[in-house]
Amino acid sequence: MDSLGKRMESYFDRLWPLNRSITGPGLRDSLGILAEVMPMERLRFPTGSRVFDWTVPREWLAREAYFVDPNGVRHADFKTHNLHLVGYSVPVTRTMPYDELRPHLYSLPDQPDAIPYVTSYYEDNWGFCLPHNELLQLPEGQYEVVIDSELHDGHVEIGEAVLPGESSEEVLFTSYLCHPSLANNELSGPLVAAFVYDELSRRTCRRYTYRFVLGVETIGTICYLSLRGDHLKHHLKAGYVLTCLGDPGCFSYKASRLQDCLADRAARILLRDKGDHIVFPFDPSSGSEERQYNSPGCNLPVGVLMRTRYADFPEYHTSLDNKDFISFDALAESVEVAVGLADTVERNIVWRNVVQFCEPQLGKRGLYWTARGQKQPPQYLRTIKWLLNLADGDHDLLSIAEQSGHRYTDLVKTAERLSAAGLLDPMDQEVHFNGCRAQHGGNEET
């Protein structure tokens, strides 16, 4: 974990200074850095392309931005902090009175020392963001305003990586890479996604195919679904948006529109077994990429894995969401949990008890606990009895975990032990006997 956290920190430090947006060189450079961990195909959608109800916007490039007060003091210097410039600001070079400048200045009165994050992607506008305490000190008079930016035809770019599995059915991990200088709300998700890929790529056997997508909020996901939506409708078993995974809070999960799909059930059980957690119902009025995956026409099984939910921490969308706010140990643990989601989905098998009438005799198979005089059987024996009772060919392991309250990993190991003893058969023979069992730890002793 410590080694993983240090690797993630090294990539964070390289990504942090780049001015990312929904288009442009900062986005492309960021994808290039993460491609060192997760090799990606680049998908490009040209300016002016129609994607469902949207049109791909122009590409934006910002070189310099600031304004100078009547006393010659420079404020909101883009080179000092790239949140100072409203995203997608059009070029401006002129002098104006304070009254004309003021509507283009953004601050947070409730967080007077923070710089807010503000964008204007789809309306030609411009502006600066600065701490409210600084705004209050600005004098009346003439101001020099400089924004050296450019809007031109270009493209929205998305990174995609696929790890083939033995099945064409897929598990999706996706995040967005379009916010500048935001640590938890921005860089935590792509970093976790890249290192989940790194872990899963080392496995020689994968039951499912894994698809990884690093895009940009809203327009990027809309572009992606315009290209891959039909494929996902036919192949996606479970999907997860990864975001806000670097803070020290407990894990949380936002359910999909389907509410009880495989992705939702796996997340609920995994987080239940882990300890403190929060599960939020589906809510289309807020959120991120899941709004597009869960739109009525798509209706895909995609939820959101987080720690503290977006907008529930005061640093959200401000300059306070910086490196000091996150923990790289927390990021490494988030990789572990996301990989755990993949493992939970991989191991979810429907078993059938070979002995359907009454209980099988466990002692002759070396499975019965022989100590006498105890009021409760040992935990593993309780797990065995739950499995034998619910392994009727209709219950998968997740449903048995839900009903019994037993830890999912204990059920997985015990099911493999019962299978080895000839008491359980998998309903899908190919899934069970394809060589993946040993890799997933199925023959470990309970």
Side-chain angles (χ1 to χ4, degrees):
M1 292 284 284
D2 182 61
S3 174
L4 176 58
K6 289 179 179 177
R7 286 185 67 201
M8 298 180 83
E9 183 176 12
S10 69
Y11 280 94
F12 177 95
D13 289 342
R14 293 168 61 193
L15 291 163
W16 179 255
L18 301 178
N19 183 47
R20 283 171 295 278
S21 188
I22 59 173
T23 62
L27 171 65
R28 288 191 287 273
D29 291 347
S30 297
L31 288 170
I33 290 171
L34 288 170
E36 297 172 14
V37 181
M38 183 175 78
M40 291 176 271
E41 179 185 357
R42 303 289 187 90
L43 308 177
R44 294 182 173 181
F45 300 84
T47 296
S49 301
R50 187 68 183 267
V51 285
F52 298 123
D53 196 45
W54 293 64
T55 302
V56 176
R58 290 174 293 173
E59 190 168 312
W60 182 62
L61 171 65
R63 303 180 185 88
E64 187 174 41
Y66 60 88
F67 65 91
V68 181
D69 70 23
N71 299 319
V73 177
R74 182 178 292 200
H75 299 269
D77 192 336
F78 173 71
K79 290 183 178 178
T80 301
H81 202 301
N82 51 33
L83 290 185
H84 277 310
L85 180 61
V86 169
Y88 260 65
S89 284
V90 299
V92 178
T93 304
R94 61 192 197 74
T95 300
M96 64 186 70
Y98 178 75
D99 289 346
E100 185 178 346
L101 172 63
R102 180 62 185 85
H104 297 275
L105 302 181
Y106 301 88
S107 68
L108 297 169
D110 293 339
Q111 295 174 282
D113 296 319
I115 306 168
Y117 169 55
V118 180
T119 63
S120 183
Y121 297 139
Y122 302 102
E123 179 183 357
D124 285 354
N125 205 339
W126 60 272
F128 296 94
C129 301
L130 68 165
H132 191 67
N133 282 336
E134 183 177 350
L135 185 147
L136 293 176
Q137 302 301 315
L138 295 177
E140 295 288 340
Q142 295 293 308
Y143 282 76
E144 178 190 357
V145 176
V146 175
I147 299 176
D148 181 8
S149 65
E150 179 182 330
L151 287 161
H152 60 267
D153 286 350
H155 56 266
V156 164
E157 189 156 341
I158 295 169
E160 179 187 55
V162 177
L163 291 173
E166 298 196 356
S167 168
S168 62
E169 294 181 315
E170 296 185 359
V171 177
L172 169 72
F173 287 103
T174 181
S175 193
Y176 49 91
L177 194 58
C178 52
H179 295 18
S181 298
L182 298 177
N184 196 39
N185 179 230
E186 166 68 357
L187 287 178
S188 69
L191 282 168
V192 169
F195 282 91
V196 170
Y197 173 96
D198 186 55
E199 167 62 27
L200 295 181
S201 70
R202 299 174 192 274
R203 300 186 175 182
T204 58
C205 183
R206 292 178 291 269
R207 176 182 174 186
Y208 292 113
T209 292
Y210 287 85
R211 184 174 297 271
F212 293 80
V213 179
L214 293 183
V216 298
E217 275 196 302
T218 308
I219 187 61
T221 306
I222 292 171
C223 286
Y224 188 74
L225 287 169
S226 74
L227 180 68
R228 299 279 193 248
D230 286 343
H231 174 88
L232 294 176
K233 284 182 183 181
H234 289 96
H235 295 279
L236 190 64
K237 289 286 288 185
Y240 299 98
V241 177
L242 304 175
T243 187
C244 300
L245 286 165
D247 69 89
C250 71
F251 284 94
S252 63
Y253 178 75
K254 178 181 174 182
S256 72
R257 185 176 186 264
L258 299 168
Q259 298 285 358
D260 202 36
C261 64
L262 177 59
D264 300 329
R265 296 169 62 226
R268 284 198 297 262
I269 290 299
L270 177 71
L271 296 184
R272 180 202 71 179
D273 291 351
K274 186 170 179 60
D276 291 341
H277 70 285
I278 303 171
V279 175
F280 298 103
F282 175 68
D283 178 0
S285 67
S286 65
S288 179
E289 304 315 274
E290 74 277 9
R291 300 199 316 272
Q292 315 311 325
Y293 288 104
N294 286 277
S295 58
C298 297
N299 200 29
L300 293 166
V302 177
V304 189
L305 179 67
M306 305 165 281
R307 285 182 177 268
T308 304
R309 181 173 58 172
Y310 37 74
D312 283 355
F313 54 96
E315 296 82 0
Y316 177 75
H317 274 196
T318 78
S319 58
L320 302 179
D321 183 4
N322 54 34
K323 187 177 181 178
D324 292 336
F325 175 63
I326 63 171
S327 159
F328 291 96
D329 288 340
L331 273 177
E333 185 185 20
S334 295
V335 172
E336 184 181 64
V337 169
V339 170
L341 286 174
D343 287 339
T344 301
V345 173
E346 288 261 318
R347 297 170 177 177
N348 188 42
I349 296 173
V350 176
W351 294 95
R352 185 180 184 276
N353 186 350
V354 172
V355 180
Q356 287 287 299
F357 294 92
C358 302
E359 294 181 353
Q361 187 175 6
L362 300 178
K364 69 181 182 181
R365 297 175 171 87
L367 296 171
Y368 195 76
W369 183 59
T370 58
R372 304 297 180 187
Q374 298 295 322
K375 293 183 179 180
Q376 293 288 337
Q379 177 66 31
Y380 92 90
L381 187 55
R382 291 196 294 271
T383 305
I384 285 176
K385 290 186 174 182
W386 271 105
L387 271 166
L388 291 174
N389 187 272
L390 293 182
D392 53 7
D394 293 326
H395 293 81
D396 60 12
L397 278 181
L398 282 170
S399 64
I400 296 174
E402 290 164 353
Q403 190 166 335
S404 69
H406 285 233
R407 290 180 61 85
Y408 186 79
T409 52
D410 292 343
L411 289 167
V412 170
K413 295 173 184 177
T414 305
E416 293 286 0
R417 188 174 184 180
L418 292 174
S419 175
L423 285 175
L424 290 185
D425 277 342
M427 296 301 290
D428 188 338
Q429 296 287 329
E430 180 181 355
V431 166
H432 188 57
F433 296 109
N434 60 7
C436 292
R437 180 170 58 177
Q439 176 166 331
H440 293 326
N443 289 328
E444 298 174 22
E445 290 295 322
T446 301

